[in-house]
Amino acid sequence: MRSRRLLPNLLPRLAKSTNLCAQIRQRSNLSAKSGQNAAESAAAAADPTRAVSLLAERNWFARINSEFAAPLRQLGPRFVVRVLQHAAAEPLLCVRLYVWASRFGQHFARDRSVRRALGDALWRRGPVVLSPALVSEVQECGCVVSEELLCALVESWGRLGLAHYAHEVFVQMPRLGLRPSTMIYNAVIAASVRSGAVDAAYLRFQQMPADGCHPDCFTYNALVHGVCRRGIIDEALRLVKQMEGAGIRPNVFTYTILVDGFCNAGRVEDAVGVLEKMTEKGVAPTEATYRTLVHGVFRSMGTEKAYRILSKWLESHPWHHRNAFHTLLYCLSKNNMAKEAVDLVDKMSTRGYLVGNTAFGIVISCAVKGLELSYVCELVDNFIKKGGKLGFDVYILIIKSLLNCKDVSKAQKYLSQMVLDGLFSSATSYNMVIDSLSKAGEMEMAMEIVKAMRESGFLPNLVTFNMLISGYSKLGNVHDAKAVLKMLMELGFMPDIITFTSLIDGLCHTHQLDDAFHCFNEMSHWGIRPNVRTYNVLIRALCSAGNVHKAMDLLNKMKMDGINPDAYSLNTLILSFCRTRKIDKAHRLFTAMLRYGVAPDSYTYTTLIKVLCDERRVDEAKEILLAVKSSSGIAAYQHAYWLVVGALTKMHRFSEAGEFMNRFHRRNAHTGSSAQLRAGSEILVQTVIV
């Protein structure tokens, strides 16, 4: 081992005190000071944390009223929303705030953002029960339980599945000084539908006229939604007719709910007919309507049939295609139907419609995985010529694929295009490209990107240097890896565990084991503790060099240092013992895995079982394999399973082999794994022939 250190201390000590190059100037203008003081007082008055602390006190109403009543009129509902968000962990405090703020006008009580923030808090941390104590607390403050507060509570109960409690409170409303209204009825009906209590929702719906309340569009939409969820689509149509008969015009939400209901019932033609009905009624579909239709057809009809139906519909109704087209492209890409997605883009392009950047990026992300890369690049080039622009992530995906295919020139071309499009906006974006190039072994290009990074005003960070060191190390270029390390420290960075592990890996790749261990020992001088990956790199290198005993010593040191080995650590040693036919040692190490709390994986089982079968120790192999209890585990280790069957067959233990095969089939019958049967048969035939 060399006596000199591989990592010299290149970092000079920083001076403990430095002179500031610029001093903050004191403002001498009196009006400026007064303006600053006013701003500070306004900021203090708008402190939501202070408001939350006051709400938690016993005399909360008087305290918050004295400090925030005056500024609230200037701060407006937005401040109430901020306080609700800060108090979200305590929903009772949110109720107190809402009760207090409602005193200052309906624009606080009925503000959408305020009600949304209150509803989220009541749902996420609820339920808040309308107990006598809470009602008494509200009344003692000179306030009342308003319609708006009751509706917010009812909505939260519905989201929490407590519709029955909402009905109990509804019956006792007179005690709160409230009379039934359409607003309260709607809240109770919607809560019932959300909880799945559609019958209870119908009961309240039928009681509305007796209380002098008239159903509105919201009422009918809630009921239509409820029956559609239950699959009673004909009842939904009856409600819509009743709605129209009462002079209430269905809106876009009504029709969107119907589209979803028809799709869930498998009545796709009727779902498409709803959009035609909307056109007749002068109701414009929204993006949500189109998304509901496309996703619903895919969900109910299957991918191939859904594509045929929807593409035909788009061709016959081109005015509908904008939002539906994008959603269809998304569904095709999500289902890995790259060819169909590209064909759809071509069809729409012939009509003069240029797909948007986002939609095209989704298609290309799918096409990279399923189509020829040259064809994908052709699509991208044509898109760019027409003025389209790809996103950063899409470019990275294409560049990675090109680098995997060793097409460096095209990768450089798209990197240049990324620069022209201004997609490099941070050190992170540069690092993502450097990472891709380093993993592909294109270190010269990676260093060029680092140079461009610095010229653009973004300084490389520790992540950047670690990726470069890792790239050089994987190529066995330890010299350049050390050069990057020196650069790293000269810029004031300290190497971390990733830096050391990458260097050790590079030294092991070049068979410089003495230097690798010297680097390993030096980690403690830098205050860095090795992790399991560091040990795994060294264990693998020792086993590859045939020094299994030293690898075992390192495993023991690893355990003494309090680092638990993983499957990779032990698999390397088991494989080495199997290669040298030290089966008993491999078997003991396999047994020790469970003591270490490490679950053997398929590689462990296959390695050990194969060598046991080769040595005709089939009974031990069977015992190991039968330790896999779950059927899903057996399916994952089918290769090892068929090795045992083949070994039994070669030993002329045919009845035992047949029984073992039947056991495998029974335990995998639920998967319908005919492919597993064919694969297993091929393994068996190959084993017997050998």
Side-chain angles (χ1 to χ4, degrees):
M1 221 178 259
R2 298 179 187 174
S3 58
R4 64 180 181 84
R5 288 189 176 184
L6 290 174
L7 304 175
N9 187 2
L10 298 177
L11 287 176
R13 293 181 177 272
L14 296 176
K16 292 185 178 180
S17 61
T18 56
N19 294 324
L20 295 175
C21 61
Q23 299 292 330
I24 300 175
R25 296 182 178 180
Q26 299 288 333
R27 290 191 178 185
S28 59
N29 188 285
L30 182 61
S31 62
K33 285 186 177 180
S34 62
Q36 185 177 1
N37 293 334
E40 290 176 355
S41 61
D47 182 13
T49 306
R50 173 64 178 168
V52 173
S53 65
L54 294 176
L55 289 168
E57 296 183 6
R58 179 173 296 181
N59 58 337
W60 62 271
F61 188 85
R63 294 295 307 276
I64 196 169
N65 202 48
S66 63
E67 290 195 26
F68 286 92
L72 182 64
R73 293 180 174 86
Q74 296 180 344
L75 297 172
R78 185 176 297 179
F79 173 70
V80 178
V81 173
R82 290 175 59 201
V83 180
L84 286 170
Q85 291 170 345
H86 277 73
E90 296 290 340
L92 180 59
L93 302 186
C94 295
V95 172
R96 289 177 175 178
L97 176 68
Y98 186 78
V99 168
W100 171 75
S102 298
R103 296 175 63 251
F104 295 90
Q106 291 294 323
H107 65 288
F108 286 102
R110 296 190 175 182
D111 184 83
R112 288 187 178 182
S113 57
V114 172
R115 291 178 62 83
R116 187 182 302 113
L118 176 64
D120 287 342
L122 295 176
W123 168 57
R124 296 183 188 281
R125 295 286 183 171
V128 173
V129 179
L130 197 60
S131 62
L134 178 59
V135 174
S136 176
E137 180 182 339
V138 171
Q139 292 174 346
E140 287 175 0
C141 297
C143 304
V144 296
V145 178
S146 63
E147 274 193 4
E148 291 80 11
L149 176 59
L150 180 61
C151 289
L153 290 169
V154 168
E155 179 186 353
S156 70
W157 298 333
R159 295 173 74 178
L160 293 168
L162 301 174
H164 64 282
Y165 181 69
H167 288 278
E168 292 176 7
V169 173
F170 179 83
V171 173
Q172 300 180 28
M173 274 197 308
R175 296 185 180 183
L176 300 173
L178 294 174
R179 293 176 55 84
S181 66
T182 300
M183 181 178 174
I184 296 176
Y185 264 112
N186 284 347
V188 175
I189 290 170
S192 301
V193 168
R194 188 183 286 269
S195 297
V198 181
D199 296 340
Y202 263 83
L203 177 63
R204 296 301 171 203
F205 173 66
Q206 292 167 357
Q207 290 178 350
M208 291 183 73
D211 287 327
C213 300
H214 302 287
D216 57 13
C217 191
F218 185 94
T219 317
Y220 280 103
N221 283 350
L223 292 171
V224 170
H225 180 56
V227 294
C228 283
R229 284 176 61 184
R230 286 196 172 187
I232 316 172
I233 193 68
D234 291 330
E235 172 62 13
L237 294 173
R238 188 196 67 80
L239 283 170
V240 173
K241 287 184 179 180
Q242 180 181 339
M243 182 180 181
E244 292 174 329
I248 302 171
R249 186 183 178 190
N251 59 15
V252 66
F253 298 104
T254 317
Y255 290 115
T256 302
I257 293 168
L258 285 176
V259 169
D260 188 55
F262 278 125
C263 288
N264 290 335
R267 297 166 59 175
V268 173
E269 292 183 0
D270 292 328
V272 174
V274 171
L275 271 77
E276 297 176 358
K277 182 81 171 178
M278 293 176 72
T279 304
E280 295 175 5
K281 296 292 185 179
V283 180
T286 63
E287 186 177 349
T289 312
Y290 288 114
R291 285 202 309 266
T292 301
L293 175 64
V294 176
H295 285 294
V297 174
F298 267 84
R299 188 172 59 248
S300 62
M301 302 301 294
T303 56
E304 296 291 341
K305 192 172 182 181
Y307 171 64
R308 289 197 302 269
I309 292 172
L310 290 171
S311 59
K312 184 178 179 181
W313 172 69
L314 285 174
E315 289 177 6
S316 58
H317 299 81
W319 59 89
H320 281 316
H321 72 75
R322 182 173 181 79
N323 293 315
F325 172 55
H326 286 165
T327 308
L328 179 55
L329 284 177
Y330 171 80
C331 288
L332 292 172
S333 301
K334 183 181 177 182
N335 288 282
N336 297 319
M337 301 173 68
K339 184 178 181 302
E340 290 80 359
V342 171
D343 289 343
L344 185 61
V345 171
D346 289 339
K347 287 180 182 179
M348 293 303 165
S349 298
T350 56
R351 297 188 176 189
Y353 179 75
L354 179 63
V355 64
N357 296 333
T358 303
F360 187 79
I362 293 172
V363 173
I364 291 300
S365 299
C366 173
V368 166
K369 302 172 187 176
L371 300 178
E372 289 289 335
L373 194 55
S374 58
Y375 179 56
V376 174
C377 292
E378 184 181 339
L379 292 172
V380 170
D381 293 341
N382 290 335
F383 182 74
I384 294 173
K385 286 179 182 178
K386 293 178 182 178
K389 291 188 177 182
L390 296 181
F392 182 87
D393 292 337
V394 182
Y395 271 118
I396 290 294
L397 184 62
I398 296 172
I399 289 170
K400 284 182 178 179
S401 301
L402 289 169
L403 291 173
N404 289 336
C405 297
K406 305 300 180 183
D407 196 340
V408 180
S409 59
K410 281 189 178 179
Q412 286 178 323
K413 170 186 170 184
Y414 289 121
L415 280 172
S416 301
Q417 187 64 45
M418 291 175 71
V419 173
L420 292 175
D421 291 345
L423 295 179
F424 289 101
S425 57
S426 65
T428 303
S429 57
Y430 278 101
N431 282 345
M432 291 178 69
V433 174
I434 293 168
D435 182 53
S436 301
L437 294 170
S438 298
K439 287 179 178 177
E442 298 295 335
M443 299 310 301
E444 187 176 343
M445 285 179 62
M447 291 303 294
E448 289 178 3
I449 295 296
V450 173
K451 181 180 178 182
M453 179 181 183
R454 302 182 72 167
E455 290 174 351
S456 300
F458 298 103
L459 293 178
N461 52 29
L462 184 59
V463 176
T464 315
F465 291 115
N466 279 344
M467 289 186 294
L468 293 171
I469 291 172
S470 177
Y472 279 124
S473 297
K474 287 178 181 177
L475 294 175
N477 189 346
V478 182
H479 178 270
D480 285 339
K482 291 179 182 178
V484 174
L485 175 65
K486 183 178 179 181
M487 187 191 312
L488 175 154
M489 295 193 298
E490 286 175 346
L491 291 175
F493 294 105
M494 299 289 287
D496 60 5
I497 183 62
I498 299 175
T499 316
F500 276 99
T501 303
S502 298
L503 272 175
I504 292 170
D505 189 32
L507 292 166
C508 289
H509 270 99
T510 55
H511 309 292
Q512 302 180 49
L513 289 182
D514 289 343
D515 285 347
F517 273 94
H518 190 78
C519 187
F520 174 76
N521 294 327
E522 193 169 332
M523 293 176 71
S524 59
H525 296 291
W526 294 78
I528 298 172
R529 187 167 178 257
N531 59 16
V532 65
R533 173 163 164 71
T534 315
Y535 278 101
N536 286 348
V537 169
L538 290 168
I539 289 172
R540 181 196 63 197
L542 289 170
C543 289
S544 298
N547 200 342
V548 184
H549 293 294
K550 191 171 181 180
M552 283 296 298
D553 292 339
L554 191 61
L555 178 68
N556 293 328
K557 181 182 184 307
M558 179 181 181
K559 290 183 292 180
M560 291 176 61
D561 290 344
I563 299 173
N564 295 323
D566 59 12
Y568 186 89
S569 316
L570 299 167
N571 283 347
T572 305
L573 289 162
I574 290 173
L575 179 61
S576 296
F577 283 131
C578 289
R579 283 175 176 169
T580 56
R581 296 298 171 181
K582 297 178 180 179
I583 303 173
D584 292 333
K585 289 186 177 181
H587 200 172
R588 284 197 296 271
L589 193 57
F590 171 81
T591 306
M593 289 183 77
L594 300 177
R595 291 203 309 270
Y596 299 147
V598 180
D601 56 18
S602 59
Y603 185 84
T604 318
Y605 282 100
T606 303
T607 301
L608 187 56
I609 287 172
K610 184 179 185 305
V611 71
L612 286 170
C613 290
D614 291 344
E615 295 294 319
R616 304 176 74 85
R617 296 167 63 172
V618 186
D619 292 329
E620 294 178 56
K622 283 174 58 179
E623 183 181 347
I624 291 172
L625 190 55
L626 291 175
V628 185
K629 298 295 184 182
S630 66
S631 60
S632 60
I634 290 293
Y637 308 130
Q638 58 174 308
H639 184 80
Y641 211 97
W642 287 104
L643 286 173
V644 173
V645 174
L648 289 169
T649 306
K650 288 174 67 174
M651 296 171 66
H652 305 290
R653 294 161 63 175
F654 299 111
S655 60
E656 195 174 346
E659 181 183 348
F660 214 62
M661 286 177 62
N662 291 333
R663 181 179 298 182
F664 174 76
H665 294 152
R666 284 195 302 269
R667 297 183 72 175
N668 289 278
H670 70 282
T671 62
S673 51
S674 59
Q676 291 176 2
L677 177 60
R678 288 194 300 271
S681 300
E682 291 174 3
I683 295 170
L684 177 59
V685 170
Q686 292 170 5
T687 307
V688 173
I689 291 173
V690 173

